[in-house]
Coordinates of all heavy atoms in Angstrom, one line a residue:
Y72 N 6.2 0.7 11.2 CA 5.4 0.4 10.0 C 5.7 -0.9 9.4 O 4.8 -1.7 9.0 CB 5.7 1.6 9.0 CG 5.5 1.2 7.5 CD1 4.2 1.3 7.0 CD2 6.6 0.7 6.7 CE1 4.0 0.9 5.6 CE2 6.4 0.4 5.4 CZ 5.1 0.5 4.9 OH 4.9 0.1 3.5
H76 N 3.1 -3.9 8.7 CA 3.0 -4.4 7.3 C 3.1 -5.9 7.2 O 2.4 -6.6 6.5 CB 4.0 -3.7 6.4 CG 3.8 -4.0 4.9 ND1 4.2 -5.2 4.4 CD2 3.3 -3.3 3.9 CE1 3.9 -5.3 3.1 NE2 3.4 -4.1 2.8
M77 N 4.0 -6.5 8.0 CA 4.3 -7.9 8.1 C 5.0 -8.3 6.8 O 4.5 -8.1 5.7 CB 3.1 -8.8 8.2 CG 2.3 -8.4 9.5 SD 0.7 -9.3 9.6 CE 1.2 -11.0 9.5
A80 N 4.0 -13.3 4.4 CA 2.6 -13.7 4.2 C 2.4 -15.2 4.3 O 3.4 -15.9 4.2 CB 2.1 -13.3 2.8
R81 N 1.2 -15.6 4.7 CA 1.0 -17.1 4.8 C 0.1 -17.5 3.7 O -0.9 -16.8 3.3 CB 0.4 -17.4 6.1 CG 1.3 -17.2 7.3 CD 0.6 -16.6 8.4 NE 1.6 -15.8 9.2 CZ 1.3 -15.2 10.3 NH1 0.0 -15.3 10.7 NH2 2.1 -14.5 10.9
Y82 N 0.4 -18.6 3.1 CA -0.3 -19.1 1.9 C -0.7 -20.6 2.2 O 0.1 -21.3 2.8 CB 0.5 -19.1 0.7 CG 1.1 -17.7 0.4 CD1 2.4 -17.4 0.7 CD2 0.3 -16.7 -0.2 CE1 2.9 -16.1 0.5 CE2 0.8 -15.4 -0.5 CZ 2.1 -15.1 -0.1 OH 2.6 -13.9 -0.3
E86 N -3.0 -21.9 -2.6 CA -2.6 -20.5 -2.9 C -1.2 -20.4 -3.4 O -0.8 -19.7 -4.4 CB -2.8 -19.6 -1.7 CG -4.2 -19.3 -1.3 CD -4.4 -18.7 0.1 OE1 -3.5 -18.6 0.8 OE2 -5.6 -18.5 0.4
Q89 N -0.9 -21.7 -6.9 CA -1.5 -20.7 -7.8 C -0.5 -19.5 -8.0 O -0.2 -19.1 -9.1 CB -2.8 -20.2 -7.3 CG -3.6 -19.3 -8.1 CD -4.1 -20.0 -9.4 OE1 -4.2 -21.2 -9.4 NE2 -4.5 -19.2 -10.4
M90 N 0.1 -19.2 -6.9 CA 1.0 -18.0 -6.9 C 2.3 -18.3 -7.7 O 2.7 -17.5 -8.5 CB 1.4 -17.8 -5.5 CG 2.0 -16.5 -5.2 SD 2.1 -16.3 -3.5 CE 3.4 -15.1 -3.3
D91 N 2.8 -19.5 -7.6 CA 4.0 -19.9 -8.3 C 3.8 -19.9 -9.8 O 4.8 -19.7 -10.6 CB 4.5 -21.3 -7.8 CG 5.1 -21.2 -6.4 OD1 5.3 -20.0 -6.0 OD2 5.2 -22.2 -5.8
L92 N 2.6 -20.1 -10.3 CA 2.3 -20.1 -11.7 C 2.7 -18.8 -12.4 O 3.2 -18.8 -13.5 CB 0.8 -20.3 -12.0 CG 0.3 -21.8 -11.8 CD1 -1.2 -21.8 -12.1 CD2 1.0 -22.7 -12.7
A93 N 2.5 -17.7 -11.7 CA 2.8 -16.4 -12.3 C 4.0 -15.8 -11.6 O 4.3 -14.6 -11.7 CB 1.6 -15.5 -12.2
G94 N 4.8 -16.6 -10.8 CA 6.0 -16.1 -10.1 C 5.6 -15.0 -9.1 O 6.2 -13.9 -9.1
G95 N 4.5 -15.2 -8.3 CA 4.0 -14.2 -7.4 C 5.1 -13.7 -6.5 O 6.0 -14.4 -6.0
Y96 N 5.1 -12.4 -6.3 CA 6.1 -11.7 -5.5 C 5.7 -11.8 -4.0 O 4.5 -11.6 -3.7 CB 6.2 -10.3 -6.0 CG 7.6 -9.7 -5.8 CD1 8.7 -10.3 -6.1 CD2 7.7 -8.4 -5.2 CE1 10.0 -9.7 -5.9 CE2 8.9 -7.8 -5.0 CZ 10.0 -8.5 -5.4 OH 11.2 -7.9 -5.2
W97 N 6.6 -11.9 -3.1 CA 6.2 -12.1 -1.7 C 5.9 -10.7 -1.1 O 6.0 -9.7 -1.7 CB 7.4 -12.8 -0.9 CG 7.5 -14.2 -1.5 CD1 8.0 -14.5 -2.7 CD2 7.2 -15.4 -0.8 NE1 7.9 -15.9 -2.9 CE2 7.5 -16.4 -1.7 CE3 6.7 -15.7 0.4 CZ2 7.3 -17.8 -1.4 CZ3 6.5 -17.0 0.8 CH2 6.8 -18.0 -0.2
S98 N 5.6 -10.8 0.2 CA 5.0 -9.6 0.9 C 6.0 -8.5 1.3 O 6.0 -8.1 2.4 CB 4.2 -10.1 2.1 OG 3.6 -9.1 2.7
H99 N 6.8 -8.0 0.3 CA 7.6 -6.9 0.7 C 6.8 -5.6 0.8 O 5.8 -5.5 0.1 CB 8.7 -6.7 -0.4 CG 9.6 -7.9 -0.5 ND1 10.6 -8.2 0.3 CD2 9.5 -9.0 -1.4 CE1 11.2 -9.3 -0.1 NE2 10.5 -9.8 -1.1
A100 N 7.3 -4.7 1.6 CA 6.5 -3.5 1.8 C 6.8 -2.4 0.8 O 8.0 -2.1 0.5 CB 6.8 -2.9 3.2
G101 N 5.8 -1.8 0.3 CA 5.9 -0.7 -0.7 C 6.5 0.6 -0.1 O 6.9 1.5 -0.8
G102 N 6.4 0.7 1.2 CA 7.0 1.8 1.9 C 6.0 3.0 2.0 O 4.9 2.9 1.5
P105 N 4.9 6.1 -1.5 CA 3.6 6.2 -2.3 C 2.5 6.7 -1.5 O 1.6 7.4 -2.1 CB 3.4 4.7 -2.7 CG 4.2 3.9 -1.8 CD 5.4 4.7 -1.4
I106 N 2.4 6.4 -0.2 CA 1.3 6.9 0.6 C 1.4 8.4 0.8 O 0.4 9.2 0.7 CB 1.3 6.2 2.0 CG1 1.1 4.7 1.7 CG2 0.3 6.7 2.9 CD1 1.4 3.8 2.9
D121 N -5.4 -1.8 -4.6 CA -4.1 -2.3 -4.4 C -4.1 -3.7 -5.0 O -4.8 -4.6 -4.5 CB -3.7 -2.3 -2.9 CG -2.2 -2.8 -2.7 OD1 -1.6 -3.4 -3.7 OD2 -1.7 -2.6 -1.6
L122 N -3.3 -3.9 -6.1 CA -3.3 -5.2 -6.7 C -2.2 -6.1 -6.1 O -1.0 -6.0 -6.5 CB -3.1 -5.1 -8.2 CG -3.9 -4.0 -9.0 CD1 -3.7 -4.1 -10.5 CD2 -5.4 -4.0 -8.6
G123 N -2.6 -6.9 -5.2 CA -1.6 -7.7 -4.4 C -1.3 -6.9 -3.1 O -0.3 -6.4 -2.9
A124 N -2.4 -6.9 -2.3 CA -2.4 -6.0 -1.1 C -1.8 -6.5 0.1 O -1.6 -5.7 1.1 CB -3.8 -5.6 -0.9
G125 N -1.4 -7.8 0.2 CA -0.9 -8.3 1.5 C -2.0 -8.1 2.5 O -3.2 -8.4 2.3
N126 N -1.7 -7.6 3.7 CA -2.7 -7.4 4.7 C -3.5 -6.0 4.5 O -4.3 -5.6 5.3 CB -2.2 -7.5 6.1 CG -1.1 -6.4 6.5 OD1 -1.1 -5.4 5.8 ND2 -0.3 -6.6 7.5
G127 N -3.2 -5.4 3.4 CA -3.9 -4.2 3.0 C -3.5 -2.9 3.7 O -4.1 -1.9 3.5
L128 N -2.3 -3.0 4.4 CA -1.9 -1.8 5.1 C -1.8 -0.5 4.3 O -2.3 0.6 4.7 CB -0.6 -2.0 5.9 CG -0.1 -0.8 6.7 CD1 -1.1 -0.6 7.9 CD2 1.3 -1.1 7.3
Q129 N -1.2 -0.7 3.1 CA -1.0 0.5 2.2 C -2.4 1.2 1.9 O -2.5 2.4 2.1 CB -0.4 0.1 0.9 CG 1.0 -0.6 1.0 CD 2.1 0.3 1.6 OE1 2.3 0.4 2.8 NE2 2.8 1.0 0.7
G130 N -3.4 0.4 1.5 CA -4.7 1.0 1.2 C -5.4 1.5 2.4 O -6.1 2.6 2.3
Q144 N -9.1 -4.1 -2.2 CA -7.8 -4.8 -1.9 C -7.8 -6.2 -2.5 O -8.6 -7.1 -2.0 CB -7.7 -5.0 -0.3 CG -8.0 -3.7 0.5 CD -6.7 -3.0 0.9 OE1 -5.7 -3.1 0.2 NE2 -6.7 -2.2 1.9
Y145 N -7.0 -6.4 -3.5 CA -6.9 -7.8 -4.1 C -5.7 -8.5 -3.6 O -4.6 -7.9 -3.6 CB -6.7 -7.6 -5.6 CG -7.8 -6.9 -6.4 CD1 -7.8 -5.5 -6.6 CD2 -8.9 -7.7 -6.9 CE1 -8.8 -4.9 -7.3 CE2 -9.9 -7.0 -7.6 CZ -9.9 -5.7 -7.8 OH -10.9 -5.1 -8.5
E146 N -5.9 -9.7 -3.1 CA -4.8 -10.4 -2.5 C -5.0 -11.9 -2.6 O -6.2 -12.4 -2.4 CB -4.6 -10.0 -1.1 CG -3.6 -10.8 -0.2 CD -2.2 -10.9 -0.8 OE1 -1.6 -9.9 -1.3 OE2 -1.7 -12.1 -0.8
I147 N -4.0 -12.7 -2.9 CA -4.1 -14.1 -3.0 C -4.2 -14.9 -1.7 O -4.7 -16.0 -1.6 CB -3.0 -14.7 -4.0 CG1 -3.5 -16.0 -4.6 CG2 -1.7 -14.8 -3.2 CD1 -2.6 -16.5 -5.8
S148 N -3.5 -14.3 -0.7 CA -3.4 -15.0 0.6 C -4.7 -14.7 1.5 O -4.9 -13.6 2.0 CB -2.2 -14.5 1.4 OG -2.3 -14.9 2.7
M151 N -3.8 -13.4 4.9 CA -3.5 -11.9 5.0 C -4.7 -11.1 5.0 O -4.8 -10.0 5.6 CB -2.5 -11.5 3.9 CG -1.1 -12.1 4.0 SD -0.3 -11.6 5.6 CE 0.7 -10.2 5.1
I172 N -10.9 -8.7 -1.8 CA -11.1 -9.7 -2.8 C -10.0 -10.7 -2.7 O -8.9 -10.4 -3.0 CB -11.3 -9.1 -4.2 CG1 -12.5 -8.2 -4.2 CG2 -11.4 -10.2 -5.2 CD1 -12.9 -7.6 -5.5
V173 N -10.3 -11.9 -2.2 CA -9.3 -13.0 -2.2 C -9.3 -13.7 -3.5 O -10.3 -14.2 -4.0 CB -9.7 -14.1 -1.1 CG1 -8.5 -15.0 -0.9 CG2 -10.2 -13.5 0.1
G174 N -8.1 -13.7 -4.1 CA -8.0 -14.4 -5.4 C -6.8 -14.0 -6.1 O -6.0 -13.1 -5.7
D175 N -6.6 -14.6 -7.3 CA -5.4 -14.3 -8.1 C -5.6 -13.1 -9.0 O -6.6 -13.0 -9.7 CB -5.2 -15.6 -9.0 CG -3.9 -15.6 -9.8 OD1 -3.4 -14.5 -10.0 OD2 -3.5 -16.7 -10.1
V176 N -4.7 -12.1 -8.9 CA -4.9 -10.9 -9.7 C -5.0 -11.2 -11.2 O -5.6 -10.5 -12.0 CB -3.8 -9.9 -9.5 CG1 -4.0 -9.1 -8.2 CG2 -2.4 -10.4 -9.7
C177 N -4.4 -12.4 -11.6 CA -4.4 -12.7 -13.0 C -5.8 -13.1 -13.5 O -6.1 -13.1 -14.7 CB -3.5 -13.9 -13.3 SG -1.8 -13.7 -12.7
D178 N -6.7 -13.4 -12.6 CA -8.1 -13.7 -13.0 C -9.1 -12.6 -12.8 O -10.3 -12.8 -13.0 CB -8.6 -14.9 -12.1 CG -7.7 -16.1 -12.3 OD1 -7.1 -16.3 -13.3 OD2 -7.6 -16.9 -11.3
Q179 N -8.6 -11.4 -12.5 CA -9.6 -10.3 -12.1 C -9.8 -9.4 -13.3 O -9.0 -9.3 -14.2 CB -9.1 -9.5 -11.0 CG -8.7 -10.2 -9.8 CD -9.8 -10.9 -9.0 OE1 -11.0 -10.4 -9.1 NE2 -9.5 -12.0 -8.4
Y188 N -2.7 1.1 -7.3 CA -1.4 0.9 -6.7 C -1.0 -0.5 -6.8 O -1.8 -1.4 -6.6 CB -1.6 1.3 -5.2 CG -0.3 1.0 -4.4 CD1 0.8 1.7 -4.5 CD2 -0.3 -0.1 -3.5 CE1 2.0 1.4 -3.8 CE2 0.8 -0.4 -2.8 CZ 2.0 0.3 -2.9 OH 3.1 0.0 -2.2
L189 N 0.2 -0.7 -7.2 CA 0.7 -2.1 -7.3 C 2.2 -2.2 -7.0 O 3.0 -1.3 -7.4 CB 0.3 -2.8 -8.6 CG 1.0 -2.4 -9.9 CD1 0.8 -3.5 -11.0 CD2 0.3 -1.1 -10.5
Y190 N 2.6 -3.3 -6.4 CA 4.0 -3.5 -6.2 C 4.3 -4.9 -6.7 O 4.1 -5.9 -6.0 CB 4.3 -3.4 -4.7 CG 5.7 -3.7 -4.3 CD1 6.1 -3.6 -2.9 CD2 6.7 -4.0 -5.2 CE1 7.4 -3.8 -2.5 CE2 8.1 -4.3 -4.8 CZ 8.4 -4.1 -3.5 OH 9.7 -4.3 -3.1
R191 N 4.5 -5.0 -8.0 CA 4.9 -6.2 -8.7 C 4.3 -7.5 -8.1 O 5.1 -8.3 -7.7 CB 6.4 -6.3 -8.7 CG 7.0 -7.2 -9.7 CD 8.5 -7.3 -9.4 NE 9.2 -6.2 -10.1 CZ 10.3 -6.5 -10.9 NH1 10.7 -7.7 -11.2 NH2 10.9 -5.5 -11.5
P192 N 3.0 -7.6 -8.2 CA 2.4 -8.8 -7.6 C 2.9 -10.1 -8.3 O 3.1 -11.1 -7.6 CB 0.9 -8.6 -7.8 CG 0.7 -7.6 -8.8 CD 1.9 -6.7 -8.8
V193 N 3.1 -10.0 -9.6 CA 3.6 -11.2 -10.3 C 4.8 -10.8 -11.2 O 5.0 -9.6 -11.5 CB 2.4 -11.8 -11.2 CG1 1.3 -12.4 -10.3 CG2 1.9 -10.8 -12.2
R194 N 5.5 -11.8 -11.6 CA 6.7 -11.5 -12.4 C 6.4 -11.5 -13.9 O 5.8 -12.5 -14.4 CB 7.8 -12.6 -12.1 CG 8.2 -12.6 -10.7 CD 9.1 -13.8 -10.5 NE 10.3 -13.6 -11.3 CZ 11.5 -13.4 -10.9 NH1 11.7 -13.3 -9.6 NH2 12.6 -13.3 -11.7
R199 N 2.3 -16.4 -17.5 CA 1.1 -15.9 -16.9 C 1.3 -14.5 -16.4 O 0.4 -13.7 -16.4 CB 0.7 -16.9 -15.8 CG -0.7 -16.7 -15.2 CD -1.0 -17.9 -14.3 NE -2.1 -17.6 -13.4 CZ -3.4 -17.6 -13.8 NH1 -3.7 -17.9 -15.0 NH2 -4.3 -17.3 -12.9
F203 N -0.7 -11.1 -17.4 CA -1.4 -10.2 -16.4 C -1.1 -8.7 -16.8 O -2.0 -7.9 -16.8 CB -0.9 -10.5 -15.0 CG -1.2 -9.4 -14.0 CD1 -2.5 -9.2 -13.5 CD2 -0.2 -8.5 -13.6 CE1 -2.8 -8.2 -12.6 CE2 -0.5 -7.5 -12.7 CZ -1.8 -7.3 -12.2
I223 N 5.3 0.3 -7.8 CA 6.6 0.1 -7.2 C 7.3 -1.0 -8.0 O 6.7 -2.0 -8.4 CB 6.5 -0.4 -5.7 CG1 5.6 0.6 -4.9 CG2 7.8 -0.6 -5.0 CD1 6.2 1.9 -4.5
Ligands
LIG1 C1 5.5 -7.0 -3.0 S1 4.0 -7.4 -2.1 C2 3.2 -5.9 -2.0 C3 2.3 -5.7 -0.8 C4 1.7 -4.3 -0.7 N1 0.9 -4.1 -1.9 C5 2.7 -3.2 -0.6 O1 3.0 -2.5 -1.6 O2 3.3 -3.0 0.5 C6 3.1 -8.4 -3.3 C7 1.8 -8.9 -2.8 O3 1.2 -9.6 -3.9 C8 0.6 -10.8 -3.5 N2 0.5 -11.7 -4.6 C9 1.4 -12.4 -5.2 N3 0.9 -13.1 -6.3 C10 -0.4 -12.8 -6.3 C11 -1.4 -13.2 -7.2 N4 -1.2 -14.0 -8.2 N5 -2.7 -12.6 -7.0 C12 -2.9 -11.8 -6.0 N6 -1.9 -11.4 -5.1 C13 -0.7 -11.9 -5.3 C14 1.5 -11.3 -2.4 O4 0.9 -12.2 -1.5 C15 1.9 -10.0 -1.7 O5 1.0 -9.7 -0.7

Side-chain angles (χ1 to χ4, degrees):
Y72 155 82
H76 185 285
M77 301 172 61
R81 290 140 209 182
Y82 306 98
E86 287 165 357
Q89 186 67 17
M90 194 171 158
D91 287 346
L92 285 177
Y96 208 51
W97 297 67
S98 186
H99 301 276
I106 297 166
D121 184 345
L122 317 188
N126 65 18
L128 182 66
Q129 302 292 89
Q144 311 263 26
Y145 296 92
E146 170 56 44
I147 202 163
S148 163
M151 289 304 263
I172 297 186
V173 190
D175 188 333
V176 285
C177 303
D178 299 332
Q179 308 293 332
Y188 171 71
L189 69 161
Y190 180 177
R191 198 187 273 232
V193 294
R194 295 173 64 110
R199 193 169 162 79
F203 164 76
I223 306 282

